[in-house]
Amino acid sequence: MDCLICDHAAVDREFQRVEVWRDGLWRLTTSLIAPVPGFSYLEPLRHISHITDLDGPEADTLGAVLARVTATLKDVTRADLVYVNVFGERVAHLHFNIAPHREGDALTGGPGLLREGAEPLPEQVLTDIADRVRDQLGR
């Protein structure tokens, strides 16, 4: 497998970041070139391609790890809140983009993730999806 993120030294050089924490399952790196102080990446040490593939001990520990690292980043950067995003179409190794945010910084936040003028989908489409999710998770 050829995964840049699995090669920690190479990915840290490539994206100019430094490892700030690790345990037996996860590592956290912080960008040295971001326009936002404390912009970080949380990644499993084991290769897991996408959030939909998350399983095993990484799935069991994600909540606690994410809570710990985001609370630490919020405290250290004195952020108002911390954004967490998972994309995945560019790099097939699960990674969480963690961005501490304060009023007036470089982040646009919330509505900035949608195209300007994007309209809600028809309510029936959204209701049908919600019903299907409820049914599938209720099994």
Side-chain angles (χ1 to χ4, degrees), residues 12-31:
D12 291 353
R13 271 191 315 275
E14 176 75 20
F15 293 112
Q16 296 182 39
R17 58 193 197 166
V18 61
E19 185 175 298
V20 295
W21 175 83
R22 106 171 18 219
D23 68 7
L25 300 171
W26 296 95
R27 74 188 293 255
L28 181 72
T29 59
T30 298
S31 177

Side-chain angles (χ1 to χ4, degrees), residues 6-73:
C6 285
D7 184 343
H8 301 154
V11 74
D12 291 353
R13 271 191 315 275
E14 176 75 20
F15 293 112
Q16 296 182 39
R17 58 193 197 166
V18 61
E19 185 175 298
V20 295
W21 175 83
R22 106 171 18 219
D23 68 7
L25 300 171
W26 296 95
R27 74 188 293 255
L28 181 72
T29 59
T30 298
S31 177
L32 301 177
I33 58 168
V36 175
F39 189 92
S40 298
Y41 305 90
L42 178 66
E43 304 153 351
L45 297 177
R46 177 171 67 100
H47 184 80
I48 299 172
S49 295
H50 302 284
I51 188 74
T52 52
D53 301 319
L54 186 63
D55 63 359
E58 293 86 359
D60 294 339
T61 59
L62 175 60
V65 168
L66 199 53
R68 179 177 181 210
V69 300
T70 56
T72 299
L73 286 165

Side-chain angles (χ1 to χ4, degrees), residues 70-132:
T70 56
T72 299
L73 286 165
K74 182 179 181 190
D75 182 54
V76 168
T77 64
R78 296 188 175 119
D80 299 322
L81 55 91
V82 178
Y83 295 125
V84 178
N85 292 299
V86 178
F87 300 108
E89 68 274 4
R90 288 186 33 205
V91 178
H93 184 118
L94 176 61
H95 58 286
F96 297 85
N97 299 290
I98 304 174
H101 171 58
R102 284 192 295 179
E103 185 68 32
D105 68 15
L107 295 172
T108 58
L113 292 175
L114 295 174
R115 279 187 304 242
E116 188 174 326
E119 295 290 328
L121 294 171
E123 185 177 354
Q124 188 58 54
V125 170
L126 300 173
T127 300
D128 290 347
I129 297 245
D131 289 343
R132 289 173 33 214

